[in-house]
Every structure is written in C-alpha cells, then in structure tokens.
C-alpha cells in the first residue's frame, strides 16, 4: 500500500504534515526542515534526482494546493470556479492534470452537446438551470480582454421528450418537479404534438413534454467503530512516454477523470477492503461506449426541430442548415459494447437506431449516414447520477464525476458546487448533499430516470 | 425589398437619432420627413444625444417599462415621445388599456428587459429592428406572446443567427416576419426558405432566396449580374 503511486500516510497524531505548506507555517519544525535539507543534499549529489543543468520547465510544479485529475469540462470547470471564488486573489495554486492533450478520447469533445432541464431529480434541474444561465452569460464569465466575444453557437430549440403509456405517469411527476424548480416545460397530447410538429408519427406516444430553454432567475442559496482516515500527500504525475514522474505535493485532489474515475479512485485505495464496509465501497463509475451517427435526410424535419427523445431511448437533433441530423440510442444492458476501443458499430445503427427513427419520423425512412463516432459515458452503475463531494475516508479526495451522459450540460454548476465545497466546506448555492459518495455505502439511490 | 428599407432606416436614424423608431412601409412617411428637414445641425444633434440619454435612463429603471418609443394602445394612434424625448403623461391614464404594438427599434433592450414586453398579453406587433443586444436567447423568450403576436420585425439585429430563428416556430399566429439584413445569419437565402417552411401562414420578408447561390458556368459567361440561376 505504501509503495503505490499515490503516497498515503495514515493520519498520525497532530495534523502537522499535511496542512503546512511551504509558504505558511511560523512554527519551527526542525525535524521536518532537517529532513528536507537532507533530501536536497542527497539529490544534488551524483545519482540524485535534482540536476540543475537540465531543463525541467516541462515538469509540473512540486507543490500545488489542489490537483485536479482530468482536464475535461468538469475538471476545467472546477479549476475555473476555484480561482473565481477564492477569497484573496491568487491564494490557491491549482494544477490540472490531463494525460491526453489532444482530447482524442475525452467525453467532452465527443458529446452530442444538448442541455435540458427535464430531469427527475430536483438537484439536476437546478444544475441545468444554472448551467443555461452560465452559457447565456458566458462572456461575463469567460471573456478575455481584447479578444473577440465568445460565440457558443447555441441553438435554443428546446427538448421534446416522448412517453409511452407506461411512462406517462412518471413524466407527469417529473414535469411537476421541474416546474417547481423553475424550469419552463409544457405537456402536450399526441394531437397537439401532431399540430406542432407534423413530421412526427405519434403512434405509441401518450404524452410529450416540451422544454423551453429557460434559465434560472431565482436560485436559492443550500457523525463508534474505529476507522482509518487517510490523506493523500502527493500525486505522482507521470510524464508522457517516459519513466519520469514529478511528485506534486498537494492538499486536495479532485477526481474529475470522467469515464476513468473508477481507476483513479482505485489508485487512491478507495474500495480496497472487505466488501460491504465503507473501506470496501468502490466508486461505481465505469466506461460505457456510446455511438453517435450523423445522417443527411433531405425531406427531414425543418428548422424548428427540437432535440427529440423517443420512449425507446433513441434521440436525434438537427445540425445546421443543411438537413443534417445527429443522433443515436443507448444500448440495453445486454447489448453493451466493449469499451476497449472507440470503433463504431454501423450495424447497431441499422438494427437498432434506424427502425425506431423511421417509425417515429416517417421522413427518416430514406436517410444516408454521413459519419459516426463513439465516445465514453462516465456511467454510474449505481444510480446514473453524479458523484460530488469528498470521500468519507480519504479526507482530501473530492469527486466531480459519474454524470452518465449529462456531465457536459451540468459542468458549470457542478464546478461551482465542488469549488464551494473545497473553499467553504459546504454547498452554498445548490445543495448537492444527496450526491455525496456515502450514498453508495448506505445504499440510498438517487435514481435519475431521464437518462439517454 | 432589403435595399429600399435600408435607406429608409438611414434617413430616419440620422434625422432622429434612431430613437423615433421606424414606421412600417404601410405608413406614410412624408409628414415626418418634412418636419425634420427644417432643423439645424446643432439642434438635432442635441436632440439626439438627449434622446439616447433619456432612453438609457428609462432602460436602467426597469420598473418604468412601457418605455418604448411608440406604443399603440387599442384603437388609438401611436404614442410617441415629443421632441425632447419625453412622453406626455396622458398615457398613464391608459394603464388599463392593452398595448397592441410596440416599436423598440434601436433600443438597447436585452434578455432581462424583455420581461416587461412579455407581460403584454395582447401584443400584436413588435418591432425590434437594429437592437444591438437582441440575440438568439431573447428570441427563445418570445413564446408567451404566441397567441397574439402577428407581426415581428427583426431587421438589422447584429446578434441574431439562424438558430434563434428556429424558436419563432412557437409564434403560430405570426403573419408578417421581417428577417432582412441579419449579418450573423450564415446563409440568408436558405434561412429564409427554411423559415418560410417552418411558418406556413406567415409572410417572410428576408433576403432574396437566390442570394448566395452560385451561378452555373453558362450563366456566368452570359450575365454575371443576373441573380437567377437557370
């Protein structure tokens, strides 16, 4: 355990080692200083690690306050909000570690890119409402002086969720929850649906909910058996394609590694223990592969097409002016493809996606697939909702992951929530205490039903 | 249609500082034009700055929001600000009368400012020409006016793109829509066709549908100025 990549120290007596940074600390801690000087001398001597003749500027710094593992949208959002919400300016040193600078397998860049407020869990609705607000005012947050203003090319066409007879009651409940949180959603009968969108075949649809893009205007602001508490002291950042690594001493580690968060959590020793105990509860986030197809259909639905989600789980949206559409379908548990690579299975489109598309929108009987790609969901096998907040045992690991396909749309709000947790110790604006890690041990599911 | 309209705008803007608003093509413009010609340069410059200043004042105080250049109440004529940009106070007597038409052209109205416009449940005609802060998000807010709005003009708004125009689908009562001269729309001719398909009962004034189409080789050699392909 002690030799593993992340050095863990068992919490010994006074919390001396972990808390004092190299900047602070007015106590004369001679023992520590002497040992540090000894380490430095050893590294200068031949055979040691430090060599002043070599250029080490490509290495990450030796000390950082917060290390964020994962440079996707969630990791960057947490980093942004940490710097934005810190009280004295420049107080916190944040290091974002991302192993792939081309983002070739990152879920962020491979996402279909929709944002909706139609969720069944109220916290998710609040997260989306704030995120829409963030996107609308993105220039207030992210604009750079002297650069042209950002244009996120947002399409405010809204989401249309269709429900069959079985799901109609659940949909009504969900709409009630969404409206309570302030989202603008309207319920439509099949006839209203046909009037509004004549290209839909409403057979099998009992109810539809159409969500306008709305943003939040009023956001409310939101304790024995002996356990071994652990702290992470150092993160070893390995340099690409070499054996070299830089130990970064840090106070807090944030796990925003997306689909690979489970593996990062295992490195920290989470889940190593007898099953059924808190030590043995793993982070249940896994890679799941999903396909997205881009097709062209000249007679397809017009400019007003919202993001349509069929009761069977097939979804599509329009892209641009040229009658192109993006869409896909989540496979059932039995059909889950092997997540080892990002190869696209075109037969899946032929067998599973196209029939439902053609049934729902008759114009899609004749379409031509232009391209396709695959990406990963950071799928939370427990309840398909995000994991946010600290781990009860590993005191300084925080999670911001597990959003199972709706991470991109909630990233600004989740980033802010995690930053508040890190800086203040509790959630201030949106209360995400039901998304903490402890629910996996206690077995309390916060099931999100509207997952695509 | 786009070219003559643009010159109308220019004339009106220079002479009134853009705060008087543009009247629709169905109205007669002559009387106002004559009135303006008599002014000296200094007078209308002062007028213009004052108008803009007053307007900004009004906009900041969002409670006082029936602050458009012209409101038309049911059955009555337009209510316009006088030469100094002040509204006469008789319109306060009309508070119970529904507002039928609003001309907010050139006004710096933004996403939050639309709150006041959306409260007007009987609004039939809305002109938002050349509004610099009206963008796609603002268009997505217009759906509460769907049952009454019949005329909408968005000409010349620099931030509106074709994605925002997709939200106009909710305005099923719309009969006249002006989307000419939108610089942020990538393909104005194609966008106009798609919007016409989206709103079958609506007359759409926009870019010429042939604009942007490439000429075939025969037409190019024949007459490069002709916009109509074979």
């Amino acid at each position: 355990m002690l030799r593993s990549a992340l050095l863990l120290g068992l919490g010994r007596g006074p919390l001396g080692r972990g808390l004092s940074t190299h900047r602070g600390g007015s106590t004369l801690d001679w023992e520590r200083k002497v040992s540090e000087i000894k380490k430095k001398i050893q590294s200068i001597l031949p055979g040691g690690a430090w060599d002043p003749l070599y250029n080490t500027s490509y290495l990450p710094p030796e000390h950082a306050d917060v290390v964020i593992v994962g440079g996707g949208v969630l990791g960057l959002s947490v980093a942004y909000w940490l710097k934005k919400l810190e009280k004295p300016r420049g107080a916190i040193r944040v290091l974002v570690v991302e192993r792939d600078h081309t983002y070739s397998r990152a879920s962020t860049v491979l996402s279909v890119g929709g944002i909706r407020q139609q969720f069944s869990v109220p916290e998710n609705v609040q997260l989306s409402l704030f995120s829409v607000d963030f996107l609308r005012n993105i220039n207030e947050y992210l604009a750079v002086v002297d650069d042209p203003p950002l244009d996120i090319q947002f399409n405010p066409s809204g989401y249309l969720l269709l429900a069959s007879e079985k799901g109609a009651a659940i949909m009504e409940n969900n709409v009630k929850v969404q409206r309570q949180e302030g989202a603008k959603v309207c319920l439509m009968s099949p006839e209203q649906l046909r009037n509004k969108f004549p290209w839909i075949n409403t057979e099998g649809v009992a109810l539809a909910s159409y969500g306008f893009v709305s943003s939040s205007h009023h956001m409310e602001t939101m304790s024995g058996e002996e356990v071994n508490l652990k702290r992470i002291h150092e993160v070893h950042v390995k340099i690409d394609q070499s054996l070299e690594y830089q130990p970064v001493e840090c106070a807090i580690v944030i796990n925003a590694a997306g689909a690979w968060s489970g593996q990062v959590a295992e490195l920290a020793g989470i889940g190593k223990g007898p099953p059924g105990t808190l030590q043995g509860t793993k982070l249940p986030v896994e890679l799941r592969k999903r396909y997205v197809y881009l097709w062209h259909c000249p007679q397809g639905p017009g400019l007003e097409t919202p993001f349509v989600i069929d009761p069977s789980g097939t979804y599509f949206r329009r892209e641009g002016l040229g009658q192109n559409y993006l869409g896909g379908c989540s496979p059932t548990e039995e059909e889950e493809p092997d997540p080892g690579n990002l190869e696209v299975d075109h037969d899946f489109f032929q067998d599973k996606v196209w029939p439902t598309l053609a049934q729902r929108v008759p114009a899609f009987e004749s379409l031509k697939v232009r391209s396709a790609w695959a990406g990963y969901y950071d799928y939370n096998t427990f309840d398909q909702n995000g994991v946010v907040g600290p781990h009860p045992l590993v005191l300084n690991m925080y999670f911001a992951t597990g959003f199972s396909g709706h991470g991109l749309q909630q990233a600004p709000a989740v980033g802010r929530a995690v930053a508040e947790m890190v800086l203040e110790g509790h959630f201030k604006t949106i209360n995400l205490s039901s998304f903490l890690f402890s629910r996996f041990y206690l077995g309390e599911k916060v099931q999100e039903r509207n997952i695509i | 249609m786009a070219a003559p309209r643009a010159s109308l705008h220019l004339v009106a803007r220079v002479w009134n500082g853009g705060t008087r608003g543009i009247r629709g093509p169905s109205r007669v413009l002559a009387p106002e034009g004559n009135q303006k010609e008599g002014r000296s340069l200094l007078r209308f410059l002062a007028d213009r700055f004052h108008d803009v200043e007053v307007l900004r004042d009004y906009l900041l105080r969002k409670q006082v929001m029936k602050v458009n250049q012209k409101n038309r109440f049911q059955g009555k004529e337009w209510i316009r600000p006088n030469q100094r940009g002040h509204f006469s106070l008789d319109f306060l007597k009309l508070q119970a009368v529904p507002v039928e038409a609003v001309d907010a052209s050139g006004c710096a109205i933004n996403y939050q400012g639309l709150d006041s416009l959306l409260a007007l449940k009987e609004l039939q005609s809305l002109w938002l020409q050349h509004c610099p802060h009206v963008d796609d998000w603002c268009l997505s807010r217009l759906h509460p006016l769907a049952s009454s709005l019949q005329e909408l003009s968005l000409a010349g708004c620099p931030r509106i793109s074709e994605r925002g125009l997709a939200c106009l689908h909710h305005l099923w009562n719309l009969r006249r829509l002006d989307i000419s001269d939108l610089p942020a729309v990538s393909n104005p001719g194609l966008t106009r066709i798609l919007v016409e398909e989206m709103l079958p009962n609506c007359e759409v004034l926009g870019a010429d549908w042939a604009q942007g189409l490439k000429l075939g080789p025969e037409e190019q050699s024949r007459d490069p100025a002709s916009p109509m392909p074979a």
Side-chain angles (χ1 to χ4, degrees), chain A residues 160 194 197-201 300-302 304-306 308 316 360-363:
Chain A
L160 180 69
R194 272 193 294 270
F197 302 113
W199 36 264
I200 278 193
N201 168 16
E304 75 277 5
T305 317
V308 182
F316 70 91
R360 188 55 60 208
V361 181

Side-chain angles (χ1 to χ4, degrees), chain A residues 157 196-199 210 301-306 318, chain B residues 166 169 197-198:
Chain A
S157 298
K196 205 164 167 67
F197 302 113
W199 36 264
Y210 182 81
L303 199 58
E304 75 277 5
T305 317
R318 218 188 126 100
Chain B
H169 174 68
E197 275 180 23
M198 183 171 85

Side-chain angles (χ1 to χ4, degrees), chain A residues 248-376:
Chain A
V248 178
E249 204 180 0
C250 58
I252 289 177
V253 176
I254 297 190
N255 185 352
W260 297 272
S261 320
Q263 297 166 13
V264 172
E266 274 177 23
L267 285 177
I270 294 176
K272 295 213 178 113
T277 60
L278 190 49
Q279 290 99 311
T281 319
K282 294 196 211 291
L283 179 69
V285 174
E286 299 181 347
L287 286 120
R288 290 282 169 99
K289 189 159 92 161
R290 296 284 179 266
Y291 305 111
V292 178
Y293 304 93
L294 172 74
W295 64 86
H296 175 75
C297 177
Q299 306 300 325
L303 199 58
E304 75 277 5
T305 317
F307 194 122
V308 182
I309 304 180
D310 195 61
S312 61
T314 313
Y315 59 89
F316 70 91
R317 71 166 173 86
R318 218 188 126 100
E319 173 69 32
L321 287 176
Q323 302 289 109
N324 292 318
Y325 303 86
L326 274 179
C329 176
S330 286
T332 56
E333 288 286 338
E334 299 83 38
E335 302 168 331
E336 281 289 346
D338 170 36
N341 56 33
L342 282 179
E343 299 287 323
V344 179
D345 181 7
H346 292 279
D347 294 327
F348 182 75
F349 184 78
Q350 297 277 5
D351 303 329
K352 295 282 175 329
V353 184
W354 198 355
T356 26
L357 279 179
Q359 201 248 333
R360 188 55 60 208
V361 181
F364 281 157
E365 304 242 338
S366 58
L367 56 81
K368 201 164 149 70
V369 176
R370 285 270 165 90
S371 78
W373 65 87
Y376 292 118

Side-chain angles (χ1 to χ4, degrees), chain B residues 3 10-11 23 37 56 60 75 97 108 132 174 179 189 202 220-221 226:
Chain B
L10 260 164
V11 164
R23 294 203 286 180
E37 276 175 13
R56 222 180 0 197
L60 284 174
V97 182
L174 205 61
I179 51 171
C202 181
Q220 262 175 353
S221 52
S226 155

Side-chain angles (χ1 to χ4, degrees), chain B residues 15-16 20 34-45 47-48 83:
Chain B
W15 288 107
N16 346 358
R20 290 306 161 91
N34 288 338
Q35 206 184 353
K36 298 300 166 290
E37 276 175 13
R39 284 218 201 137
S40 67
L41 182 70
L42 194 60
R43 257 190 82 193
F44 84 70
L45 266 184
D47 199 65
R48 169 170 138 175
Q83 281 190 342

Side-chain angles (χ1 to χ4, degrees), chain A residues 132-133 135-137 151-157 184 196-198 210 212-215 217 302-305 318 320-323, chain B residues 111-112 115 135-137 139-141 143 159 161-167 169-172 185-187 190-191 194-195 197-198:
Chain A
V132 169
D133 217 17
L135 292 177
R136 184 168 56 82
N137 295 317
D151 176 15
I152 52 172
Q153 312 245 321
F154 186 77
N155 185 338
S157 298
K184 300 219 181 31
K196 205 164 167 67
F197 302 113
Y210 182 81
F212 298 92
V213 172
S214 58
S215 48
H217 293 289
L303 199 58
E304 75 277 5
T305 317
R318 218 188 126 100
L321 287 176
Q323 302 289 109
Chain B
Y111 187 85
Q112 265 94 19
D115 277 339
D135 58 4
D136 298 337
W137 297 88
L139 290 186
S140 72
R141 281 196 87 183
H143 58 90
R159 292 208 189 174
S161 74
E162 64 271 16
R163 295 173 287 273
L165 295 179
C167 307
H169 174 68
H170 301 296
L171 305 172
W172 44 270
V185 167
S186 51
N187 195 333
L190 180 57
T191 310
L194 289 171
V195 171
E197 275 180 23
M198 183 171 85

